[in-house]
Amino acid sequence: MPLTAAQRTALLESDANTGLLGAREATCTALAKQGLAVRYGRTGGHYLTPEGLRVRAELARTELPSHEPETPPEPARQASGASGFLADDGHGPGAGGGSGSRAAEVAAAWSGLLEIRRVLQDGDTGRPAPWERDRYVHAVALALEAAGLPPSARDASGRPARPGYAVAPAAAQDGVAEVSWPAPGDEPAGPALDRCRALLEPHGWQCTLHRDRGGQAAFLLVSPRRA
């Protein structure tokens, strides 16, 4: 069945990270009847199904360029807009630290992530959903920020100004994130990275500790755990 203009708009304006629809109830119900959305959760929100996410991606490639790009830029820094939220990857000046509004945004994004895992994986929240695998830097950063770990912050010259996690794509491995712990001075990263690993692994991320060729700087390689 062809999509109406309202249904196309609802798909394009859905949350790019969680698939949550913000359209009117009648539009969401119509999308659900076509297998593109499903009602889930305590609040009864509608989320895109895997087919809905596929159709959304197709529309994003063909509709007017005023809509946000399907894949956020990497590394995924804090941003706002139609997609609503991006986690702080620790490569910028900071996304507001522990402010109340930022904490609320992080908590809402984490709740939405768990909700979409339930929707897309038959209630299983212990492993990353398919779209997390495509946005692995954002997903890993969100897991760390939601757990209360501080993101690193950089000064104007790009040097670490505040100790914390930093997430980036691994240099030579597709689909793998590299988590480091930049800090001013000689603060050891090992204990902090152990905390990162302890927080990520229960949520379906496989972590291995590595060091650079000089044996000095430690970092984690993080990938979705195989089912």
Side-chain angles (χ1 to χ4, degrees):
M1 181 183 299
L3 294 172
T4 67
Q7 290 166 359
R8 291 196 300 272
T9 299
L11 288 170
L12 285 165
E13 293 183 351
S14 64
D15 191 293
N17 295 314
T18 66
L20 177 63
L21 288 162
R24 293 183 176 180
E25 178 70 19
T27 301
C28 293
T29 299
L31 290 171
K33 289 180 178 178
Q34 297 186 57
L36 302 180
V38 61
R39 183 189 292 275
Y40 200 89
R42 293 184 298 274
T43 61
H46 281 83
Y47 293 81
L48 296 183
T49 62
E51 178 63 11
L53 292 170
R54 186 195 67 76
V55 173
R56 182 191 189 282
E58 182 64 26
L59 287 173
R61 287 192 292 268
T62 59
E63 292 286 321
L64 296 175
S66 59
H67 293 286
E68 83 280 359
E70 174 65 14
T71 303
E74 300 288 2
R77 296 183 174 85
Q78 178 199 23
S80 60
S83 62
F85 175 87
L86 286 177
D88 190 334
D89 66 8
H91 289 277
S99 67
S101 61
R102 178 64 184 179
E105 290 175 355
V106 172
W110 179 247
S111 177
L113 182 150
L114 295 180
E115 198 78 350
I116 202 62
R117 283 188 179 189
R118 292 188 186 97
V119 170
L120 297 182
Q121 299 178 157
D122 296 324
D124 182 3
T125 63
R127 57 190 173 92
W131 59 263
E132 287 180 78
R133 298 167 188 265
D134 295 333
R135 299 174 176 86
Y136 54 92
V137 169
H138 169 86
V140 170
L142 175 57
L144 294 173
E145 191 174 4
L149 291 186
S152 175
R154 308 275 178 157
D155 61 22
S157 65
R159 291 191 297 265
R162 181 182 69 203
Y165 68 81
V167 188
Q173 299 188 51
D174 293 336
V176 177
E178 179 178 308
V179 177
S180 57
W181 193 271
D186 298 324
E187 179 180 328
L193 291 176
D194 286 341
R195 290 177 60 203
C196 293
R197 176 162 54 184
L199 291 168
L200 290 171
E201 288 185 338
H203 295 295
W205 297 98
Q206 179 175 300
C207 307
T208 55
L209 182 65
H210 300 264
R211 292 189 178 275
D212 63 14
R213 291 185 178 180
Q216 299 299 316
F219 60 92
L220 294 175
L221 291 182
V222 180
S223 59
R225 187 178 62 231
R226 294 181 180 178

